[in-house]
Amino acid sequence: MQDYHGYHVSWISGTLMFGILQGVCVVMADQKTVMLHRATGSSLDFQPEYPNGTVSFAEWKFNEEHFADYTSNRNYSFPASQFSGRLKGNHDKVGVTVQKLQPQDSGVFSVVADGPRGQVPTQIFKVYIEDPITAVQIEKNQTWKVATNSCNVDVKCAALGAESVSYLWSGYKTASGAQLQFSLSPAEGAVTLNCTAANNVSSSSAAETLSCSIEQPKTGTISNELFYLSTIHHRL
């Protein structure tokens, strides 16, 4: 608890409470939490929403570890941290920019600020850094089924370089999920199947053209005749 101009000020669960001798006035000044997703190698510009002239000092933290300070004369200081060499100050917005993001930069960023009238609401940024998708591949396998005079098709979509990926099929078939199975007849000709893979920071697509042809398996009689003719030709 801190004293500001005769008021007792405390932060409880994100609510600023003023204790006044004549009574109690509770001012809701909830912490603002923003969720952000960024790709590995990109930059993230933190811009807290403070009106001009309301902040005289701000302290930036990452997972409760101090990594940057801002003062009212628009100067920044950057103590040694995991972000050393990757920070820039946004002098007009009290913000900071973290460059060349890495997966270990995922976590909770917060800015605690003071102004002419005391502490202002803390702003929190929950950040998730993910690897982007580098490529998408479609694997296919199809077999001819005599009973149905059609092909059983099994396709699988795989995204390279990323995790937590969702898949969406379009074109000849519409579905979700990495794997898709269906039947394709020769009469349908060539069909195109598209797979789009996506995560929170990227998306990429691949296409595959499929067709089903009638297979003519060789019978035992034909195989024997071919073998016999081949033997005669060899003897000649």
Side-chain angles (χ1 to χ4, degrees), residues 3-154:
D3 290 329
Y4 289 105
H5 307 290
Y7 297 99
H8 298 294
V9 181
S10 61
W11 287 85
I12 302 176
S13 300
T15 302
L16 184 62
M17 304 184 67
F18 290 81
I20 308 177
L21 293 178
Q22 290 81 3
V24 176
C25 174
V26 178
V27 179
M28 299 301 294
D30 291 339
Q31 296 176 341
K32 180 178 181 180
T33 300
V34 179
M35 295 182 62
L36 300 169
H37 294 267
R38 291 294 185 273
T40 302
S42 66
S43 297
L44 181 52
D45 186 14
F46 292 101
Q47 295 188 6
E49 297 179 355
Y50 294 132
N52 291 335
T54 60
V55 174
S56 55
F57 176 82
E59 180 183 63
W60 283 90
K61 295 182 179 181
F62 172 70
N63 292 339
E64 296 301 323
E65 295 292 330
H66 172 218
F67 72 91
D69 288 320
Y70 168 86
T71 57
S72 57
N73 56 3
R74 297 185 177 183
N75 286 333
Y76 281 86
S77 61
F78 301 122
S81 70
Q82 72 182 63
F83 309 111
S84 294
R86 298 190 287 136
L87 293 173
K88 288 176 59 179
N90 186 337
H91 299 277
D92 295 326
K93 299 291 185 180
V94 194
V96 294
T97 299
V98 182
Q99 302 172 314
K100 300 178 181 178
L101 292 167
Q102 301 299 320
Q104 60 267 27
D105 297 334
S106 296
V108 179
F109 291 78
S110 61
V111 54
V112 180
D114 286 319
R117 298 183 180 180
Q119 192 174 32
V120 296
T122 298
Q123 296 195 22
I124 297 173
F125 303 85
K126 291 185 177 180
V127 177
Y128 302 88
I129 310 301
E130 301 179 46
D131 291 329
I133 297 169
T134 57
V136 174
Q137 295 179 345
I138 298 178
E139 299 177 2
K140 64 178 180 178
N141 181 44
Q142 62 185 62
T143 56
W144 172 259
K145 293 297 181 182
V146 177
T148 59
N149 288 323
S150 63
C151 292
N152 284 355
V153 182
D154 186 355

